[in-house]
Amino acid sequence: MNKRSIELKVVRPRRLYEQIADHVRELVLNGTFPPGSALPPERELAEIIGVSRPSIREALIALEVMGLVESRQGGGNYVRTDAGILRMIPLAGGRDLGPGPIEQFEARRVIELACVKLAAQRATEEDVRNLEDCLDRMRDLIERNASPADEHRYFHTMLASISQNQIFASTVAELWRVRSGELWDTLRQKVDNAESWRLGIEFRAHLINAIRDRDSAAAVAVMSNHFNRIGELYFGLLPEPDEANREV
């Protein structure tokens, strides 16, 4: 009896944004949204499909990365005019773009708030100087109209290291690694500008002051406000209550 080798393929659960993106793709293929046409606004599209508006935003970003949808200056998402000749493979059968940006953002919010609380309690004078040096480098880059993205990442991973919790530090490093993927690149192109960089500098300056003062409640409040601003800017998420004022 001949034994045949059986190839096993691991099938991962489909992420929500992938399911939504494939649904929109089908609407393009069946002519509901023909090439060159405008897609409904995010809020309306969310109602049509029956999902949240942030989930729609994630799906549209994925479709933009895959080359089916384009976001035009001045607002609005459009089916690309060459969509009919594109090899539009469902996301489940194509490349894996990784966890959705909102899922990553939610994880970062929880973990980095915990990190900054510990950092305010455990930071040394050298740690504070290193954070200040990083902030100075960011200011210098912005003055030269250069992106401070690398220093941005370094600042957050350094905060996690200052917490002196190796699990937090390694998790934050991994979250920032996946943040360099195509979905986030597309997002950043929509919101990165001199004003957002300026607000980022202000946030970090306030945070460093709270850490220097060993005021963990203030540090958590500053970080929470930062995540509220980023969540609303990137995803239209409603601000969450100040973490420092929540009951434990």
Side-chain angles (χ1 to χ4, degrees):
M1 180 178 178
N2 294 328
K3 294 183 178 179
R4 296 182 178 179
S5 60
I6 301 175
E7 182 179 353
L8 297 178
K9 181 179 180 180
V10 177
V11 179
R12 62 174 174 81
R14 298 187 66 204
R15 303 180 180 99
L16 179 59
Y17 80 85
E18 293 175 322
Q19 297 177 49
I20 298 169
D22 280 346
H23 184 62
V24 174
R25 169 185 169 275
E26 290 300 323
L27 293 175
V28 171
L29 291 176
N30 69 21
T32 302
F33 303 132
S37 66
L39 292 175
E42 290 178 2
R43 188 181 304 278
E44 183 179 339
L45 200 55
E47 293 175 355
I48 292 172
I49 299 178
V51 295
S52 69
R53 186 174 175 182
S55 295
I56 286 290
R57 186 165 297 183
E58 276 190 321
L60 291 174
I61 293 165
L63 288 168
E64 190 171 351
V65 170
M66 300 299 287
L68 179 61
V69 168
E70 62 181 354
S71 178
R72 295 182 184 174
Q73 191 170 7
N77 295 288
Y78 293 78
V79 180
R80 282 179 44 168
T81 55
D82 59 353
I85 61 175
L86 289 175
R87 185 167 176 253
M88 295 180 293
I89 304 173
L91 288 181
R95 65 177 185 247
D96 182 6
L97 295 176
I102 295 178
E103 188 177 352
Q104 298 174 36
F105 175 82
E106 290 172 342
R108 277 190 53 218
R109 186 203 294 269
V110 172
I111 296 172
E112 291 197 36
L113 283 172
C115 286
V116 80
K117 181 177 181 179
L118 292 176
Q121 298 168 0
R122 299 172 178 177
T124 65
E125 291 183 3
E126 182 180 1
D127 290 330
V128 174
R129 284 196 300 271
N130 288 335
L131 290 172
E132 290 174 332
D133 289 344
C134 178
L135 187 59
D136 287 340
R137 293 192 297 270
M138 292 182 74
R139 287 194 179 104
D140 180 63
L141 287 165
I142 292 171
E143 286 177 2
R144 294 187 278 114
N145 199 33
S147 172
D150 288 342
E151 293 296 339
H152 184 185
R153 175 177 180 172
Y154 178 72
F155 187 94
H156 284 261
T157 54
M158 181 164 43
L159 277 174
S161 296
I162 293 172
S163 76
Q164 297 179 27
N165 184 302
Q166 292 184 1
I167 296 174
F168 283 166
S170 60
T171 302
V172 169
E174 174 61 15
L175 286 169
W176 276 85
R177 184 193 68 78
V178 298
R179 192 180 181 274
S180 63
E182 293 174 283
L183 294 176
W184 273 102
D185 280 346
T186 301
L187 266 172
R188 279 192 293 273
Q189 291 172 16
K190 300 176 186 297
V191 301
D192 263 8
N193 52 52
E195 176 63 11
S196 68
W197 294 345
R198 182 187 66 79
L199 292 173
I201 290 291
E202 289 184 4
F203 144 66
R204 288 170 180 79
H206 290 314
L207 184 59
I208 290 172
N209 287 337
I211 291 174
R212 183 189 296 109
D213 294 341
R214 296 194 176 280
D215 189 339
S216 58
V220 169
V222 171
M223 182 65 90
S224 180
N225 288 336
H226 170 69
F227 273 106
N228 282 342
R229 180 178 70 84
I230 296 300
E232 188 172 8
L233 177 66
Y234 277 71
F235 310 111
L237 297 173
L238 294 176
E240 291 196 358
D242 189 333
E243 289 286 337
N245 296 326
R246 288 186 179 182
E247 293 184 1
V248 178

